[in-house]
Amino acid sequence: ENFDQSPLRRTFKSKVLAHYPQSIEWNPFDQDAVSMLCMPKGLSFRTQTDNKDPQFHSFIITREDGSRTYGFVLTFFEEVTSKQICTAMQTLYQMHNAEQLSSVCASSSCSMDSLASSIDEGDAAPLLKLQQYNSYDINRDTLYVSKSICLITPLPFMQACRKFLVQLYKAVTSQQPPPLPLESYIHNILYEVPLPPPGRSLKFYGVYEPVICQRPGPNELPLSDYPLREAFELLGLENLVQVFTCVLLEMQILLYSQDYQRLMTVAEGITTLLFPFQWQHVYVPILPASLLHFLDAPVPYLMGLQSKEGTDRSKLELPQEANLCFVDIDNHFIELPEEFPQFPNKVDFIQELSEVLLQFGIPPEGSLHCSESATKLKNLVLKDLVNDKKNGNVSTNDVSMYELLKGSETIARLQALAKRTGVTVEKVDFSASLGEKEKDLKLHCEEAELRDYQLNVQLREVFANRFTQMFADYEAFVIQAAQDMESWLTNREQMQNFDKASFLSDQPEPYLPFLSRFIETQMFATFIDNKIMSQWEEKDPLLRVFDSRIEKTRLYNVRAPTLRTSVYQKCSTLKEAAQSIEQRLMKMDHTAIHPHLLDMKIGQGKYEQGFFPKLQSDVLATGPANNNRWVSRSATAQRRKERLRQHSEHVALDNDLREKYMQEARSLGKNLRQPKLSDLSPAVIAQTNWKFVEGLLKECRMKTKRMLVEKMGHEAVELGHGEANITGLEENTLIASLCDLLERIWSHGLQVKQGKSALWSHLIQFQDREEKQEHLSESPHIQNMSEIKTDVGRARAWIRLSLEKKLLSQHLKQLLSNQLLTKKLYKRYAFLRCEEEREQFLYHLLSLNAVDYFCFTSVFTTIMIPYRSVIIPIKKLSNAIITSNPWICVSGELGDSGVMQIPKNLLEMTFECQNLGKLTTVQIGHDNSGLLAKWLVDCVMVRNEITGHTYRFPCGRWLGKGIDDGSLERILIGELMTSASDEDLVKQCRTPPQQKSPTTARRLSITSLTGKTAKPNAGQIQEGIGEAVNNIVKHFHKPEKERGSLTVLLCGENGLVAALEQVFHHGFKSARIFHKNVFIWDFVEKVVAYFETTDQSLDNEDDVLIQKSSYKTFCHYVNAINTAPRNIGKDGKFQILVCLGTRDHLLPQWIPLLAECPAITRMYEESALLRDRMTVNSLIRILQTIQDFTIVLEGSLIKGVDV
């Protein structure tokens, strides 16, 4: 690779030279993965002039089943002794320089300068310099090559492994040979050092000094040995919390740094903090160079990429960024995805964390420089000294002597320098004077380590405490449906195992944006699965610890489980956690056997300074025969397998089948957990991509099904079947995740990436190619929306709009119908080029047309939208032409259009105004001028020209003085029309439906049009009232986000106003006295007149006073309505009175006044409901049930009425 580099800068293929023991059945040795991860960049060469400090890093191998193995690597440089290799290197150089020369001489002199300038600014002889810098001369230079020693362990004992490897390396490079042959130490750590039992610490011996490791107890947080201090220093607290949130929401996280160990520290640090959850997707903290194509995996991932020196982030070609969180560790900088909810109580949370950090002297904003130096120093062999430079206990000149003592690089460099200058340096022995200080240093080193351990555990406690608080009651919402494990595993896909809606309705409002997305993640699903599985098998260790913590908090603060607060509660267990770790490290529980001589062939363990010897494999191949400790390492994995085996034999289910079930159940939704780290042949790549395609299709099926079920449930409720179970919030979450899935599908297998959103760039290119632009009419709308600033945002808006118009599937089909374009943009294996899967995918999306979404209208609330309104008169009975000036005002959930004049004799007009949301009412009226000023309107239609939603506002009454109830304006209540396409609307405009009988129930009471309507009987009327009130009560019991329109419940078809009108019309003497209609309002006015003229008796009893105040308010309200500057007819006035009475909770006081007023005998027959004592009392009782609700009336209903 990289042939343009000079040969020393190139990387070569590495391979494993030897590994011990050969293999272990439960943890087979993966040669490819290990050689890739020990040297992710490959083998490299250096000469004596380069920096050859040993480098430590760690890696992780995740197997298909999700189990992990850790590797710890020390890479150092060894002199090349093979003459062949040195000659080959020189030949490569001669070729390279010849090429360079020819290219340099061919170009002009300025380019020579530029070539050299990167090496040495303004030097007189650039070419010569270039050759020297970039050369290797077999006679002058010594060639070194990289070599690694690596320990592979099932648990991440990073500190202990690093110390052991560093000591091993020291033994090879020091002047004196080590006390015992290296085989003794390696045999010891492989076979004689046991795993410390949980909750205990263990001391074992390296080459020079003991090494300590410890494990947390069964009720503590699981083992994590990576210092969180570094992760917080590298990213800074605020950034770390943001990245942590991205990980929780399962976005794609890409870490970027020059240093492998940093990638590991951040990745392991953040995944540790997820407790009790676990990252379920692709996890490759160090992505080897040969696997870069994995970055276009269309699944959530957490990967680490090593940045080359001097390359810029902008050069990085990432296939998809629509929901990528990019973390540039070295530059302290993160890029977050758009539409990103904050972690609950983020401010308090960060405050609490920074208090912990400050106690340990770490600035919360992170400290780049300090971690820089720490990493550099750490990579020195002299780890022990790092801390003292900070603590300043050893004067610096002692430190440098101590470094000399240790035989580090420095002395070698000094000697080389001295030789060149002709001075000889004797080896100095300071050991006596430093003996005391070394003890001191030891202690410090341990102290700093102890502090790191304590900080780790305290930070993790704070994070864990957040989840314990947030999910304290999660068990109450787990749905345990299955009787036994078999049936559960087989039906896993169809089953709902967590009651999401109820859980969310129980949470504090500010948490919802985050929680509603989090409970949709795979890690949450797996957590709940583990909870359900724990009925039948041993609890998952993380779950056990988490549950025991919840128990504990319940014991401590016995709060009512129903009371949910968003008050921040701090973590109270910090001290205990830090103490338990301190006790373990201060007092060793176990000590392993010392390394000892093995029976080796004599003369083979010969020591040669600076070279890592070839070890005797027969001694290292097996441990002591009776060693049971070896087995215990894999104990948990083995036990689980055993248990499964016994269980399955017991159930007599074929074991393979069972394993398959288990795997499928566990990997539900995680279609491809881990890339195989091996040299990838095209066949393997194709296989992997095929898995992705299948996974994407499955995900699409699950998502659309979920959206349908949720939404259908919701609509079924509106039709009166069952209860609603989706909130606006949850719907938004589902739609956001659909947008995200579409982005992932569109970026799978892209040839060349343009812009951040693959879908949007495809749409734009499609549009440019298809001249006939009527195809995808949405994209121009969205391009014109100035509110959206990014491509990702535009793509999301486009998806929402298409979904709302029920055209998503159709549009995408059209988009993909241009096959030339698709072929040009996508590789052969891309999802969009798999015919069959693509068809199925479009079919799944088509199913979403079964339901109504308002996901565009409700999200983009500030945009301008063109509307079109059409007024449909009833021509048979009314003048088609009127002389007066009509006007209209349209209102929706988000606002109203203001009063607009309709051009005379034009029944259709278009207007543009800020998004009104779902439309609720239309006010229509005219100014009664001219001769023909009476107008019978059937209905008004209004259509949103962007989303295509059409609303019908039925009227069916006259507007005009001296006809009907004398109304010059009416308030009409809207209903959404189903599938009104343009043609329907036009048809309705051309030929209005002749004599369509008015549809609202209110018309039963209108004698003016038909005079022959069947009247409802008393029973039906009472039922109607009950129903109307009941609907209002239900409305207030729904979560706020999904309540719908209160206006419809009050003034709509079977609303409260209509029901009360029925009551007042029952037994009403509405015969035409002198051909003049009598309206309920006339009765109301009579009542007012009676109260105002009659002075009530002067008894000062309380109830009389109360009654008096009721009279007063009643009269006040009626007069206010009468004097309002609106030309509302009598029925309209009655509607306003009912609405105000409902809002101010006065109806139950007013009804008895009306019933007891003498005017009632003149205007109502004996049998009228209002004259029946029992009925009136029950009516009052029913109306009292809505006293407790705060009712907010829409502005259009009571405009101009001042009470």
Side-chain angles (χ1 to χ4, degrees):
E1 293 174 33
N2 41 27
F3 285 118
D4 48 338
Q5 300 262 26
S6 67
L8 273 177
R9 296 279 162 275
R10 292 177 196 165
T11 53
F12 299 85
K13 199 164 163 39
S14 59
K15 75 168 202 179
V16 178
L17 299 174
H19 62 99
Y20 316 99
Q22 272 307 307
S23 191
I24 309 156
E25 52 151 343
W26 54 270
N27 190 358
F29 183 72
D30 185 345
Q31 186 133 351
D32 288 332
V34 171
S35 65
M36 268 185 177
L37 291 167
C38 280
M39 297 186 175
K41 275 193 303 206
L43 203 64
S44 49
F45 288 93
R46 299 276 157 92
T47 64
Q48 78 283 357
T49 54
D50 299 307
N51 165 18
K52 295 188 298 299
D53 293 340
Q55 291 277 344
F56 171 81
H57 81 268
S58 48
F59 62 79
I60 187 170
I61 298 177
T62 312
R63 285 205 257 346
E64 294 270 324
D65 64 353
S67 59
R68 293 177 177 178
T69 311
Y70 291 82
F72 302 97
V73 190
L74 189 73
T75 308
F76 51 92
F77 286 89
E78 226 175 56
E79 193 179 319
V80 176
T81 46
S82 146
K83 199 69 195 263
Q84 260 175 313
I85 294 182
C86 295
T87 340
M89 182 54 86
Q90 187 156 15
T91 318
L92 278 174
Y93 255 104
Q94 287 159 349
M95 284 158 61
H96 179 71
N97 286 342
E99 268 173 47
Q100 287 288 36
L101 253 171
S102 61
S103 68
V104 168
C105 295
S107 60
S108 67
S109 62
C110 69
S111 74
M112 284 167 34
D113 283 346
S114 67
L115 251 171
S117 65
S118 60
I119 299 145
D120 192 344
E121 290 297 346
D123 197 283
L127 247 171
L128 250 165
K129 187 77 189 155
L130 177 81
Q131 281 198 304
Q132 255 175 16
Y133 166 81
N134 244 348
S135 71
Y136 165 71
D137 183 341
I138 200 163
N139 306 316
R140 186 189 67 216
D141 297 316
T142 328
L143 190 63
Y144 292 87
V145 66
S146 58
K147 192 178 225 178
S148 302
I149 42 180
C150 166
L151 278 175
I152 292 178
T153 64
L155 289 173
F157 290 111
M158 185 194 75
Q159 311 283 12
C161 292
R162 183 173 64 207
K163 288 183 193 155
F164 181 80
L165 291 172
V166 164
Q167 292 187 38
L168 210 53
Y169 171 71
K170 268 193 223 168
V172 176
T173 47
S174 70
Q175 263 77 29
Q176 276 76 37
L180 295 169
L182 292 182
E183 281 86 347
S184 297
Y185 302 105
I186 293 171
H187 181 273
N188 182 46
I189 196 170
L190 279 180
Y191 303 111
E192 292 166 343
V193 176
L195 204 57
R200 298 302 170 90
S201 47
L202 166 80
K203 179 156 92 177
F204 66 94
Y205 294 90
V207 184
Y208 297 110
E209 52 198 46
V211 178
I212 292 166
C213 62
Q214 56 89 27
R215 261 174 90 187
N219 286 324
E220 295 175 48
L221 296 172
L223 173 71
S224 154
D225 216 21
Y226 287 83
L228 284 173
R229 171 182 54 79
E230 279 178 40
F232 278 87
E233 283 176 344
L234 287 168
L235 290 184
L237 175 54
E238 170 85 26
N239 282 350
L240 190 127
V241 171
Q242 295 287 51
V243 176
F244 172 71
T245 314
C246 286
V247 175
L248 281 171
L249 297 176
E250 294 184 350
M251 297 175 169
Q252 293 175 321
I253 292 98
L254 183 62
L255 308 173
Y256 192 64
S257 165
Q258 284 190 31
D259 181 325
Y260 298 127
Q261 188 54 18
R262 284 185 178 185
L263 294 173
M264 271 303 278
T265 302
V266 173
E268 281 290 291
I270 285 182
T271 48
T272 310
L273 296 173
L274 294 174
F275 168 89
F277 306 102
Q278 282 168 301
W279 177 257
Q280 297 294 330
H281 299 276
V282 177
Y283 181 63
V284 190
I286 298 175
L287 188 67
S290 54
L291 290 184
L292 277 184
H293 65 273
F294 247 94
L295 290 175
D296 82 354
V299 289
Y301 58 67
L302 204 169
M303 303 206 217
L305 188 60
Q306 197 223 11
S307 54
K308 308 254 187 314
E309 287 151 55
T311 48
D312 184 19
R313 149 86 175 97
S314 56
K315 304 254 183 350
L316 201 59
E317 268 292 293
L318 298 172
Q320 49 194 63
E321 296 175 65
N323 98 328
L324 179 74
C325 168
F326 181 82
V327 185
D328 186 341
I329 299 176
D330 303 342
N331 296 322
H332 216 66
F333 157 75
I334 60 175
E335 279 176 37
L336 292 168
E338 299 176 26
E339 286 192 26
F340 171 72
Q342 295 299 342
F343 192 71
N345 293 94
K346 184 174 135 196
V347 180
D348 301 312
F349 182 45
I350 286 184
Q351 178 57 38
E352 182 178 7
L353 286 168
S354 58
E355 285 165 19
V356 175
L357 288 169
L358 288 167
Q359 278 177 354
F360 286 82
I362 294 163
E365 60 281 1
S367 40
L368 254 183
H369 53 91
C370 102
S371 50
E372 273 295 328
S373 56
T375 328
K376 288 224 171 63
L377 273 163
K378 189 168 31 172
N379 292 333
L380 275 175
V381 178
L382 297 166
K383 164 72 172 94
D384 323 16
L385 275 167
V386 177
N387 309 302
D388 311 275
K389 290 201 176 162
K390 287 190 196 150
N391 300 348
N393 289 354
V394 183
S395 66
T396 39
N397 96 18
D398 277 352
V399 169
S400 55
M401 292 175 182
Y402 184 61
E403 284 193 358
L404 290 180
L405 243 187
K406 289 281 188 178
S408 75
E409 318 286 339
T410 336
I411 199 159
R413 281 194 212 145
L414 282 174
Q415 282 174 326
L417 193 111
K419 272 195 197 117
R420 268 179 259 157
T421 49
V423 184
T424 56
V425 182
E426 285 307 308
K427 290 228 165 59
V428 209
D429 185 15
F430 304 107
S431 52
S433 66
L434 263 172
E436 298 307 302
K437 296 217 169 104
E438 271 206 40
K439 275 189 192 144
D440 221 24
L441 273 173
K442 273 283 176 313
L443 222 129
H444 273 302
C445 180
E446 278 165 20
E447 201 173 287
E449 223 168 78
L450 173 66
R451 286 175 70 78
D452 266 1
Y453 272 126
Q454 289 181 324
L455 175 63
N456 255 23
V457 65
Q458 294 202 353
L459 289 168
R460 291 173 66 199
E461 285 289 342
V462 176
F463 276 84
N465 176 53
R466 289 310 309 129
F467 289 123
T468 330
Q469 303 280 343
M470 254 188 278
F471 293 101
D473 303 333
Y474 84 97
E475 266 186 77
F477 302 98
V478 175
I479 303 168
Q480 301 275 15
Q483 294 310 303
D484 55 75
M485 193 148 145
E486 307 301 317
S487 63
W488 183 74
L489 288 172
T490 33
N491 302 319
R492 171 70 196 82
E493 269 199 45
Q494 290 80 40
M495 286 163 106
Q496 277 285 339
N497 56 5
F498 189 72
D499 184 353
K500 294 176 178 164
S502 310
F503 173 74
L504 288 176
S505 64
D506 208 20
Q507 305 307 312
E509 183 76 26
Y511 290 11
L512 293 178
F514 170 80
L515 283 177
S516 64
R517 284 181 66 172
F518 178 65
I519 60 176
E520 295 295 331
T521 57
Q522 188 58 50
M523 71 176 83
F524 186 74
T526 307
F527 171 75
I528 298 295
D529 283 355
N530 285 341
K531 179 72 185 169
I532 292 177
M533 297 283 282
S534 67
Q535 316 169 71
W536 303 296
E537 57 170 44
E538 197 180 324
K539 246 190 201 180
D540 174 75
L542 294 182
L543 184 67
R544 198 191 60 240
V545 179
F546 188 65
D547 281 353
S548 71
R549 292 181 160 225
I550 290 181
E551 278 304 300
K552 214 165 169 182
T553 46
R554 284 218 184 109
L555 289 175
Y556 284 143
N557 47 352
V558 192
R559 48 153 211 191
T562 46
L563 273 178
R564 274 281 161 196
T565 61
S566 53
V567 176
Y568 190 81
Q569 291 176 309
K570 280 185 154 182
C571 182
S572 51
T573 49
L574 294 181
K575 277 222 172 53
E576 307 145 40
Q579 278 164 356
S580 61
I581 240 181
E582 186 167 3
Q583 285 162 359
R584 270 207 292 280
L585 289 176
M586 288 296 129
K587 180 185 131 292
M588 283 301 114
D589 299 305
H590 303 280
T591 306
I593 308 174
H594 278 262
H596 50 83
L597 273 171
L598 305 166
D599 45 350
M600 290 167 46
K601 298 193 187 64
I602 296 185
Q604 266 199 323
K606 202 158 87 264
Y607 172 74
E608 208 178 329
Q609 187 193 346
F611 291 97
F612 199 89
K614 188 166 172 16
L615 302 173
Q616 289 190 26
S617 52
D618 50 349
V619 207
L620 297 178
T622 53
N626 59 349
N627 193 343
N628 295 325
R629 281 177 179 155
W630 179 230
V631 186
S632 73
R633 284 210 184 176
S634 64
T636 46
Q638 288 289 65
R639 270 208 304 277
R640 175 164 261 179
K641 285 195 179 145
E642 274 301 290
R643 217 176 41 248
L644 279 180
R645 214 191 62 232
Q646 291 162 357
H647 182 74
S648 60
E649 283 168 5
H650 175 65
V651 182
L653 174 74
D654 179 3
N655 203 15
D656 303 337
L657 196 72
R658 176 181 187 81
E659 276 292 299
K660 192 170 140 252
Y661 271 156
M662 291 291 299
Q663 281 308 329
E664 277 182 6
R666 291 232 162 93
S667 69
L668 179 71
K670 355 178 222 252
N671 20 34
L672 190 73
R673 282 281 285 274
Q674 260 350 84
K676 273 303 277 159
L677 294 177
S678 53
D679 290 334
L680 289 170
S681 60
V684 175
I685 292 183
Q687 178 57 32
T688 309
N689 276 301
W690 178 237
K691 272 193 174 162
F692 282 146
V693 169
E694 284 187 315
L696 287 169
L697 185 61
K698 182 171 179 183
E699 201 178 336
C700 179
R701 190 183 77 230
M702 307 279 280
K703 283 210 162 105
T704 47
K705 182 172 156 191
R706 175 90 205 279
M707 286 171 74
L708 275 175
V709 169
E710 294 289 8
K711 196 69 179 158
M712 289 288 207
H714 187 61
E715 295 194 341
V717 174
E718 287 176 4
L719 299 171
H721 316 298
E723 272 312 309
N725 60 347
I726 181 171
T727 58
L729 180 88
E730 205 170 344
E731 174 178 315
N732 224 348
T733 308
L734 292 174
I735 287 172
S737 79
L738 178 74
C739 292
D740 171 61
L741 172 68
L742 292 180
E743 277 297 356
R744 292 210 308 266
I745 287 179
W746 253 256
S747 51
H748 181 235
L750 255 187
Q751 297 273 19
V752 186
K753 180 162 170 278
Q754 300 172 322
K756 282 199 169 188
S757 160
L759 175 59
W760 187 249
S761 81
H762 192 172
L763 281 167
I764 293 302
Q765 292 191 45
F766 176 80
Q767 204 175 309
D768 296 345
R769 291 187 165 220
E770 307 275 326
E771 266 45 309
K772 322 182 281 298
Q773 282 209 358
E774 70 267 19
H775 271 327
L776 300 175
S777 52
E778 280 64 47
S779 20
H781 279 311
I782 283 166
Q783 276 165 302
N784 301 335
M785 283 169 61
S786 56
E787 291 78 5
I788 306 177
K789 307 282 186 270
T790 63
D791 285 354
V792 178
R794 289 187 189 101
R796 289 188 167 166
W798 184 87
I799 294 169
R800 284 172 177 278
L801 180 53
S802 306
L803 193 57
E804 187 163 323
K805 294 180 77 165
K806 305 194 177 188
L807 292 171
L808 183 60
S809 179
Q810 189 184 329
H811 281 339
L812 293 177
K813 192 172 187 169
Q814 238 163 0
L815 180 63
L816 297 169
S817 63
N818 184 334
Q819 294 197 335
L820 291 170
L821 181 60
T822 315
K823 279 199 174 112
K824 186 186 116 186
L825 295 178
Y826 290 93
K827 298 179 183 140
R828 179 66 206 94
Y829 63 74
F831 182 92
L832 295 178
R833 288 187 60 187
C834 302
E835 303 288 316
E836 204 172 303
E837 282 66 32
R838 196 176 69 199
E839 282 310 301
Q840 288 186 40
F841 155 74
L842 291 170
Y843 175 72
H844 289 315
L845 289 182
L846 188 61
S847 66
L848 294 176
N849 289 3
V851 293
D852 292 325
Y853 279 104
F854 288 92
C855 49
F856 178 83
T857 319
S858 56
V859 170
F860 299 102
T861 51
T862 54
I863 59 174
M864 295 304 286
I865 290 188
Y867 290 94
R868 182 151 68 112
S869 70
V870 179
I871 295 165
I872 302 177
I874 298 183
K875 298 226 177 86
K876 266 285 177 61
L877 299 166
S878 120
N879 319 334
I881 301 168
I882 56 165
T883 52
S884 53
N885 304 303
W887 56 267
I888 188 171
C889 170
V890 182
S891 315
E893 288 179 352
L894 302 174
D896 67 45
S897 62
V899 169
M900 297 172 296
Q901 292 298 328
I902 304 172
K904 253 194 199 165
N905 298 329
L906 274 183
L907 297 175
E908 191 174 330
M909 66 182 275
T910 50
F911 59 95
E912 191 169 274
C913 66
Q914 193 175 339
N915 188 351
L916 301 173
K918 285 187 193 169
L919 301 187
T920 50
T921 64
V922 159
Q923 296 160 64
I924 181 173
H926 63 84
D927 62 1
N928 202 36
S929 60
L931 293 168
L932 300 168
K934 297 187 176 102
W935 197 23
L936 179 59
V937 176
D938 178 60
C939 66
V940 178
M941 311 281 279
V942 181
R943 170 187 158 118
N944 175 328
E945 295 285 28
I946 290 189
T947 63
H949 284 308
T950 306
Y951 294 83
R952 181 166 184 279
F953 299 86
C955 173
R957 303 206 39 187
W958 289 89
L959 289 143
K961 275 273 185 281
I963 187 169
D964 201 340
D965 64 349
S967 181
L968 286 185
E969 64 175 278
R970 293 195 183 279
I971 302 165
L972 312 178
I973 311 296
E975 52 192 11
L976 181 64
M977 305 274 294
T978 43
S979 69
S981 58
D982 296 17
E983 301 84 83
D984 298 358
L985 197 64
V986 176
K987 269 189 219 130
Q988 281 171 343
C989 305
R990 285 206 200 104
T991 53
Q994 304 283 297
Q995 287 187 311
K996 195 164 164 217
S997 66
T999 54
T1000 52
R1002 162 150 4 153
R1003 314 234 170 98
L1004 296 175
S1005 68
I1006 297 168
T1007 43
S1008 58
L1009 262 182
T1010 53
K1012 292 199 201 65
T1013 340
K1015 288 191 176 167
N1017 61 34
Q1020 288 170 330
I1021 293 175
Q1022 281 171 296
E1023 212 169 276
I1025 282 276
E1027 193 60 33
V1029 171
N1030 206 359
N1031 285 337
I1032 294 176
V1033 174
K1034 271 194 198 155
H1035 169 88
F1036 284 101
H1037 278 299
K1038 285 185 197 166
E1040 209 164 311
K1041 292 260 168 55
E1042 52 162 283
R1043 283 183 181 167
S1045 160
L1046 184 60
T1047 311
V1048 174
L1049 298 181
L1050 287 171
C1051 314
E1053 192 151 341
N1054 296 317
L1056 185 61
V1057 176
L1060 281 170
E1061 274 186 3
Q1062 297 282 11
V1063 172
F1064 278 91
H1065 271 287
H1066 188 262
F1068 190 53
K1069 297 179 179 168
S1070 62
R1072 303 179 179 192
I1073 310 166
F1074 308 115
H1075 299 288
K1076 179 167 165 266
N1077 260 351
V1078 187
F1079 289 88
I1080 302 174
W1081 191 250
D1082 299 325
F1083 169 59
V1084 170
E1085 286 180 333
K1086 285 234 170 54
V1087 174
V1088 172
Y1090 168 75
F1091 286 143
E1092 284 176 345
T1093 52
T1094 328
D1095 199 14
Q1096 294 299 309
S1097 58
L1098 296 173
D1099 302 350
N1100 266 346
E1101 288 171 26
D1102 291 349
D1103 51 343
V1104 174
L1105 280 176
I1106 293 169
Q1107 249 180 334
K1108 235 180 168 158
S1109 69
S1110 315
Y1111 297 143
K1112 287 236 172 70
T1113 56
F1114 182 66
C1115 298
H1116 172 57
Y1117 275 67
V1118 173
N1119 292 330
I1121 293 171
N1122 270 330
T1123 54
R1126 292 178 71 174
N1127 295 312
I1128 299 178
K1130 297 183 175 177
D1131 282 346
K1133 289 177 178 172
F1134 181 71
Q1135 174 167 307
I1136 296 179
L1137 184 66
V1138 174
C1139 289
L1140 289 173
T1142 314
R1143 182 190 72 183
D1144 303 337
H1145 308 309
L1146 297 169
L1147 286 181
Q1149 298 171 28
W1150 290 349
I1151 299 281
L1153 298 185
L1154 293 165
E1156 284 158 21
C1157 169
I1160 196 160
T1161 50
R1162 288 203 301 282
M1163 301 189 71
Y1164 281 88
E1165 286 154 16
E1166 194 67 39
S1167 60
L1169 283 174
L1170 276 183
R1171 293 180 66 175
D1172 173 29
R1173 213 48 191 282
M1174 300 261 297
T1175 316
V1176 173
N1177 286 342
S1178 76
L1179 177 60
I1180 293 168
R1181 274 204 307 278
I1182 292 174
L1183 289 173
Q1184 276 166 344
T1185 53
I1186 45 179
Q1187 293 296 69
D1188 314 336
F1189 305 122
T1190 337
I1191 290 174
V1192 179
L1193 297 178
E1194 197 173 319
S1196 61
L1197 293 178
I1198 50 169
K1199 197 156 54 183
V1201 178
D1202 177 29
V1203 288

